[in-house]
């Protein structure tokens, strides 16, 4: 949601590759104005990373690559896949532990039954043929393999409309639609969880007119300077400010993002 980048470094020997541009299509680490969205993505990687321990993992739609690199701390092997050539080059340069490939998520460039886990966080809402992608996930997973998927909850992300507010989204889902998409492809659903604001972010919602999300969007839409207090609060958000809660424990339709754990029978 931020309007500019800071701190890009040249890609000479021994230097960090330049940051990817912040377009709104993917989140990027290291930007104060983007930190809320980055941490909201990162919390799911950190809470579910243990499911990837000692496994062969595909991250389908890995974006900037920070999540795949986090998974590489515990996984046996991490394959990254993205459709954007500049993104693929960036991940190869910045995260050498990732076996990075360029390809179409509707036709995954992997053999049948070749990985134990497919990770797909904040990607399915960008795809035109969602059932085809989910069928491909089923195909490349080994028996008892796991699909870990997150996506914005349509009910809270684009309330009152079937047309996504984010121009990069094609179709957003609610919990029932996500469940139908996965089970309809042949997956057994282990569980649905929701991402929620914890107490600290709930307090910031109240401090910034009822919604720190709306306050950030207003800055982006207006292309105006950030108030110092809003920028400081956004920059200070951590993964611990979010709760990841099973649907059985809290109304899933109130969640910010949906997180599904599905198993190939």
């Amino acid at each position: 949601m931020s309007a500019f980048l800071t701190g890009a470094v040249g890609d000479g020997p021994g230097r960090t590759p330049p940051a990817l541009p912040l377009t709104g299509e993917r989140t990027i680490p290291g930007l104060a104005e983007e930190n809320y969205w980055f941490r909201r993505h990162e919390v799911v990687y950190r809470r579910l990373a243990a499911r990837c321990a000692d496994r062969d993992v595909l991250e389908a739609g890995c974006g900037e690559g920070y999540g795949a690199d986090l998974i590489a701390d515990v996984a046996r092997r991490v394959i990254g896949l993205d459709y954007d050539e500049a993104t693929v080059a960036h991940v190869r340069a910045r995260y050498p532990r990732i076996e990075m490939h360029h390809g179409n998520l509707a036709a995954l460039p992997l053999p049948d039954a070749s990985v134990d886990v497919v990770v797909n966080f904040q990607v399915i809402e960008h795809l035109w043929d969602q059932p085809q992608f989910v069928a491909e996930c089923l195909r490349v997973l080994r028996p008892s393999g796991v699909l870990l998927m997150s996506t914005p909850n349509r009910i809270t992300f684009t309330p009152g409309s079937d047309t996504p507010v984010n121009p990069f989204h094609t179709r957003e889902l609610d919990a029932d639609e996500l469940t139908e998409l996965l089970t309809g492809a042949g997956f057994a659903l282990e569980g649905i969880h929701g991402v929620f604001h914890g107490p600290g972010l709930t307090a910031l919602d109240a401090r910034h007119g009822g919604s720190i999300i709306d306050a950030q969007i207003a800055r982006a839409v207006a292309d105006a300077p950030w108030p110092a207090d809003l920028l400081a609060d956004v920059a200070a958000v951590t993964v611990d400010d979010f709760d990841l809660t099973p649907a059985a424990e809290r109304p899933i339709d109130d969640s910010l993002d949906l997180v599904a754990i599905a198993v190939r029978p």
Side-chain angles (χ1 to χ4, degrees), residues 40-262:
R40 183 165 146 181
H41 287 57
E42 183 190 20
V43 65
V44 182
Y45 284 102
R46 294 203 176 275
R47 302 286 169 83
L48 296 185
R51 301 298 297 254
C52 300
D54 301 318
R55 300 290 189 264
D56 295 329
V57 180
L58 166 68
E59 184 170 15
C62 68
E64 195 275 343
Y66 66 88
D69 191 61
L70 188 155
I71 291 168
D73 287 339
V74 299
R76 179 169 53 220
R77 177 192 184 199
V78 179
I79 304 164
L81 178 68
D82 204 272
Y83 77 99
D84 181 70
E85 292 183 354
T87 298
V88 171
H90 171 85
V91 175
R92 285 174 176 162
R94 189 178 186 112
Y95 303 110
R97 296 190 294 178
I98 309 309
E99 183 184 316
M100 192 64 196
H101 296 273
H102 176 253
N104 187 338
L105 270 64
L108 298 175
L110 274 73
D112 295 356
S114 56
V115 294
D116 303 299
V117 182
V118 175
V119 172
N120 183 247
F121 292 159
Q122 306 299 101
V123 174
I124 190 74
E125 66 276 5
H126 294 258
L127 304 183
W128 289 103
D129 194 340
Q130 295 174 348
Q132 171 62 21
F133 167 68
V134 175
E136 279 290 276
C137 293
L138 190 77
R139 179 185 66 80
V140 302
L141 280 167
R142 295 167 181 148
S144 300
V146 177
L147 171 62
L148 305 176
M149 180 177 286
S150 74
T151 189
N153 178 10
R154 175 176 57 80
I155 295 173
T156 58
F157 199 79
T158 309
S161 175
D162 289 331
T163 302
V165 66
N166 187 318
F168 295 102
H169 293 180
T170 62
R171 180 192 176 214
E172 295 169 356
L173 304 165
D174 63 24
D176 289 341
E177 291 163 341
L178 179 58
T179 297
E180 181 179 356
L181 179 67
L182 297 173
T183 58
F187 280 98
L189 192 65
E190 181 178 309
I192 294 278
H193 296 64
V195 175
F196 297 87
H197 282 178
L201 278 168
T202 300
L204 291 183
D205 283 332
R207 179 175 174 181
H208 294 284
S211 172
I212 195 171
I213 298 172
D214 289 347
Q216 293 176 81
I217 293 173
R219 291 301 91 204
V221 170
D223 195 22
W226 284 57
D229 61 339
L230 176 61
L231 182 58
D233 285 343
V234 167
V237 172
T238 74
V239 294
D240 293 331
D241 290 314
F242 295 94
D243 294 334
L244 184 61
T245 308
E249 298 178 12
R250 193 166 177 179
I252 196 66
D253 287 347
D254 294 339
S255 67
L256 301 167
D257 298 317
L258 304 168
V259 181
I261 302 173

